[in-house]
Amino acid sequence: MTLHVVVPEESEALPFTVEPGGAQVASKEIPERIHRILAGLLDGGAVAAPLGADGTARAERMVGLVHEAALLEHLRHGVPEGGDSVLDSAFAAPGLEQETPVTRGVWPAALGAAAAAVRAAELTARRGENSYALVRPPGHHAGPGWYGGYCFLNNAVVAARTLREEGVARVGILDVDYHLGNGTLACVQGDPTLPFASVHSSHAKDFPYAFEPGPGLYGVESDPGTEGFLTLVKDALSHLLREDAEALVVSVGYDVLAGDPHGSWTLPPEVFGPVAALLAEQRLPTVFVQEGGYGLPSLRGAARALALEASR
């Protein structure tokens, strides 16, 4: 099976985030992440796929189905005349302070990522093969009316809704990022056609800090280790299969790996091989969507391990 990789045009790095108290710190959400992941995917047998000419138009329509109009307007036009960025608490996730600025380049970058997610979903739906939307900025912390955690538009939900439009009755969303996809959870809550499951850190110090446990949420307070992590992934997949998922969207977060600056677990890059093998065993059309992963030395190996199994 061919793993098709869709990459949007490269955008500027998010220049900074804001810590509690107002201090600006350099963002780790940089283009080099994507360069290394792409190299690993190609090493593992994946094939680059063109974005396509009409992806942006469909992406604009799809993000309008996922997000509130006020959020989209803010991302498009929220930076005041003469300014470079804006930090607006009105668009922070419930219970959180806003730490992610909107800059003038955010809208085209976020829409380009959503367009890549749409294209990946189209390829999977129409060819029956796996695809990988290698996007930045990531998206799983973007909710119906909020952004944060480097995320502005929810690419995973956009991909899932695209699969639904392409005729898939129920699309399971599996999130294996170190952090809970609080935005994804909010976007699909109450929709039985988009069941959600997540493996993540539930430690109180980890973003998004506080959330209610619930069905499909497999959070752990400490490092699960390789075997523990794979067991959690199996449990999360079983949950989605019980919900009769006919296709999968997988939010991939390489921040579960040892040495990631935004995580605390010690998993090796090779863990994504058995993760991808577990997914392949389900024989379901699968769209991978890039989320976190900021430890640059580990990214190529992790992506290669995933692609070797997802390309079989």
Side-chain angles (χ1 to χ4, degrees), residues 241-256:
L241 295 175
R242 288 193 298 271
E243 295 292 325
D244 298 321
E246 298 176 6
L248 296 173
V249 170
V250 182
S251 279
V252 180
Y254 296 126
D255 45 5
V256 299

Side-chain angles (χ1 to χ4, degrees), residues 155-199:
N155 305 308
V157 179
V158 165
R161 290 205 176 277
T162 302
L163 288 172
R164 289 277 293 113
E165 279 198 350
E166 293 287 323
V168 181
R170 296 171 79 88
V171 181
I173 303 177
L174 172 65
D175 194 320
V176 293
D177 187 276
Y178 179 84
H179 307 90
L180 172 67
N182 57 321
T184 304
L185 177 61
C187 286
V188 304
Q189 226 158 18
D191 187 344
T193 70
L194 297 175
F196 176 68
S198 175
V199 176

Side-chain angles (χ1 to χ4, degrees), residues 13-28:
L14 185 69
F16 63 91
T17 57
V18 178
E19 292 184 331
Q24 293 185 6
V25 295
S27 168
K28 295 178 175 62

Side-chain angles (χ1 to χ4, degrees), residues 24-308:
Q24 293 185 6
V25 295
S27 168
K28 295 178 175 62
E29 212 296 281
I30 57 174
E32 181 64 20
R33 301 174 56 234
I34 301 307
H35 300 166
R36 297 195 183 205
I37 295 169
L38 179 59
L41 292 173
L42 298 178
D43 284 350
V47 175
L51 186 56
D54 59 348
T56 300
R58 189 174 187 184
E60 287 216 51
R61 182 171 60 80
M62 297 306 298
V63 299
L65 298 177
V66 173
H67 296 288
E68 296 170 6
L71 171 64
L72 301 179
E73 179 65 16
H74 178 67
L75 296 178
R76 284 186 178 101
H77 305 299
V79 179
E81 190 68 32
D84 295 321
S85 66
V86 63
L87 193 73
D88 195 329
S89 61
F91 297 97
L96 299 181
E97 294 184 16
Q98 187 56 268
E99 86 301 333
T100 299
V102 170
T103 63
R104 292 198 177 279
V106 154
W107 176 250
L111 187 61
V118 166
R119 180 58 177 156
E122 290 173 343
L123 289 170
T124 290
R126 297 172 187 179
R127 301 186 184 184
E129 296 183 315
N130 296 336
S131 63
Y132 196 120
L134 182 51
V135 299
R136 59 175 295 273
H140 73 154
H141 296 308
W146 73 75
Y147 62 90
Y150 297 159
C151 301
F152 302 97
L153 298 174
N154 199 300
N155 305 308
V157 179
V158 165
R161 290 205 176 277
T162 302
L163 288 172
R164 289 277 293 113
E165 279 198 350
E166 293 287 323
V168 181
R170 296 171 79 88
V171 181
I173 303 177
L174 172 65
D175 194 320
V176 293
D177 187 276
Y178 179 84
H179 307 90
L180 172 67
N182 57 321
T184 304
L185 177 61
C187 286
V188 304
Q189 226 158 18
D191 187 344
T193 70
L194 297 175
F196 176 68
S198 175
V199 176
H200 54 271
S201 171
S202 59
H203 194 285
K205 71 177 179 61
D206 287 323
F207 190 91
Y209 307 122
F211 45 86
E212 293 294 324
L217 302 186
Y218 297 88
V220 289
E221 292 191 4
S222 59
D223 185 355
T226 296
E227 292 306 315
F229 181 69
L230 293 175
T231 296
L232 290 166
V233 173
K234 289 179 186 177
D235 291 343
L237 272 172
S238 295
H239 172 80
L240 295 177
L241 295 175
R242 288 193 298 271
E243 295 292 325
D244 298 321
E246 298 176 6
L248 296 173
V249 170
V250 182
S251 279
V252 180
Y254 296 126
D255 45 5
V256 299
L257 301 178
D260 193 279
H262 288 316
S264 67
W265 293 351
T266 58
L267 306 183
E270 295 75 21
V271 74
F272 279 92
V275 167
L278 287 172
L279 295 167
E281 288 174 9
Q282 313 313 313
R283 300 188 180 278
L284 296 177
T286 300
V287 180
F288 298 92
V289 178
Q290 191 63 52
E291 302 292 356
Y294 307 95
L296 296 180
S298 299
L299 298 180
R300 185 167 184 163
R304 181 178 185 276
L306 184 150
L308 284 170

